[in-house]
C-alpha cells in the first residue's frame, strides 16, 4: 500500500502517475505522533573505532495524510534537545552544552517536510527542512511504511521507520578533539533513525 504518488516530471508532456489505492481513503486525515511508542535516535562514530547511540526522549509531531493525493501528505516534528540520552550523564551534559547543541539557548530541533515521493513498494523519501541551533538546511529521509492497525483502545494507527545521514558541522556542531593516534574523537557524519507510530485524530 503506497502513501505517496510518484513525483511528476514537470514538462508539457503528460506523465502517468501511479493509481491511488482505494484503501488509502481511510487513511486521509490528521495524525498525532505517539511519543510513548515512537523513537528518534542517532548513531555517531566515537574515537574512530566504535559507535555511540543516543535518542531524544521528548518529542512531538503531526502527520497529515491525503489519500486522494498522497504526495500532498506532510510531517512536522519538534524535539526537545535537553531530553538527549546516550546512557552516560556526563556525556549527555556535554552534548547539551555550548560545545554542541547549546540546549539552553536553542532548546528545540525541528523538521518540516516540503515534499515526498515513492521509491517503490512501501519505500518513500520525504524531504524537508531541519533546524538545529537556528540553522536550517534541507534533509532527505528514506522511509518505509509499516502499515496501519487499530489498537486495543480503538485508536487508528499508522507506522513508519526511516533513516538519514547528516554532517553535523553543517548545523554548527563543530566541537572535536584530536586523537594521539590520528583522527578525531567524534565523527562529522551522524546517522539519524526514526521509528514513528501516529494516532489518527478524532474527526
Amino acid at each position: 500500500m503506497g502513501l505517496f504518488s510518484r513525483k511528476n516530471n514537470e514538462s508539457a508532456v503528460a506523465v502517468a502517475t501511479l493509481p491511488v489505492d482505494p484503501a488509502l481513503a481511510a487513511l486521509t486525515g490528521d495524525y498525532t505522533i505517539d511519543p510513548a511508542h515512537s523513537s528518534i535516535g542517532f548513531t555517531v562514530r566515537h574515537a574512530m573505532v566504535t559507535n555511540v547511540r543516543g535518542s531524544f526522549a521528548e518529542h512531538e509531531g503531526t502527520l497529515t495524510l491525503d489519500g486522494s493525493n498522497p504526495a500532498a501528505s506532510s510531517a512536522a516534528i519538534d524535539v526537545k534537545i535537553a531530553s538527549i540520552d546516550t546512557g552516560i550523564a556526563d556525556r549527555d551534559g556535554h552534548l547539551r552544552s555550548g560545545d554542541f547543541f547549546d540546549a539552553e539557548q536553542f532548546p528545540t530541533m525541528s523538521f518540516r517536510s516540503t515534499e515526498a515521493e515513492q521509491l517503490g513498494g512501501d519505500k518513500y523519501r520525504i524531504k524537508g527542512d531541519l533546524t538545529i541551533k537556528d540553522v536550517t538546511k534541507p534533509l532527505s529521509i528514506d522511509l518505509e511504511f509499516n502499515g496501519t492497525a487499530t489498537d486495543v483502545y480503538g485508536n487508528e494507527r499508522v507506522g513508519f521507520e526511516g533513516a538519514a545521514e547528516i554532517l553535523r558541522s553543517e548545523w554548527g556542531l563543530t566541537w572535536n578533539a584530536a586523537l594521539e593516534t590520528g583522527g578525531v574523537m567524534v565523527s562529522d557524519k551522524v546517522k539519524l533513525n526514526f521509528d514513528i507510530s501516529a494516532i489518527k485524530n478524532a474527526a
Side-chain angles (χ1 to χ4, degrees):
M1 181 184 298
L3 280 182
F4 306 107
S5 62
R6 289 192 186 278
K7 187 176 180 182
N8 289 338
N9 185 18
E10 295 180 356
S11 69
V13 179
V15 179
T17 59
L18 292 177
V20 175
D21 188 331
L24 289 179
L27 299 182
T28 297
D30 296 324
Y31 292 75
T32 299
I33 292 175
D34 176 9
H37 297 94
S38 302
S39 64
I40 297 176
F42 60 89
T43 303
V44 62
R45 186 63 61 88
H46 176 262
M48 309 294 290
V49 297
T50 190
N51 291 319
V52 168
R53 293 175 174 81
S55 62
F56 296 92
E58 297 181 43
H59 52 83
E60 60 184 17
T62 58
L63 307 176
T64 297
L65 305 182
D66 187 332
S68 61
N69 180 22
S73 300
S74 61
I77 299 174
D78 293 311
V79 176
K80 290 187 178 180
I81 295 298
S83 71
I84 196 167
D85 181 8
T86 65
I88 298 178
D90 286 346
R91 181 165 59 204
D92 296 343
H94 191 198
L95 289 170
R96 295 184 190 106
S97 75
D99 283 345
F100 285 95
F101 287 104
D102 196 356
E104 184 173 346
Q105 185 174 357
F106 306 103
T108 304
M109 172 173 60
S110 65
F111 174 78
R112 297 292 183 270
S113 69
T114 55
E115 62 178 284
E117 60 180 315
Q118 183 178 358
L119 301 179
D122 286 335
K123 297 186 183 300
Y124 306 89
R125 179 167 293 141
I126 188 167
K127 298 179 181 179
D129 296 321
L130 176 66
T131 301
I132 305 174
K133 297 179 72 173
D134 277 359
V135 176
T136 300
K137 290 186 172 293
L139 176 68
S140 178
I141 305 172
D142 287 342
L143 291 168
E144 183 172 352
F145 176 48
N146 289 337
T148 65
T150 301
D151 66 23
V152 295
Y153 302 105
N155 298 313
E156 297 179 55
R157 290 180 179 268
V158 294
F160 301 87
E161 57 183 308
E165 290 186 357
I166 65 171
L167 297 178
R168 61 187 178 90
S169 60
E170 294 185 352
W171 280 267
L173 303 173
T174 57
W175 183 92
N176 227 321
L179 301 175
E180 291 184 3
T181 53
V184 292
M185 181 70 72
V186 185
S187 68
D188 192 18
K189 183 171 71 175
V190 180
K191 297 179 181 179
L192 305 177
N193 52 79
F194 309 85
D195 202 340
I196 301 297
S197 178
I199 298 172
K200 191 173 186 179
N201 297 347

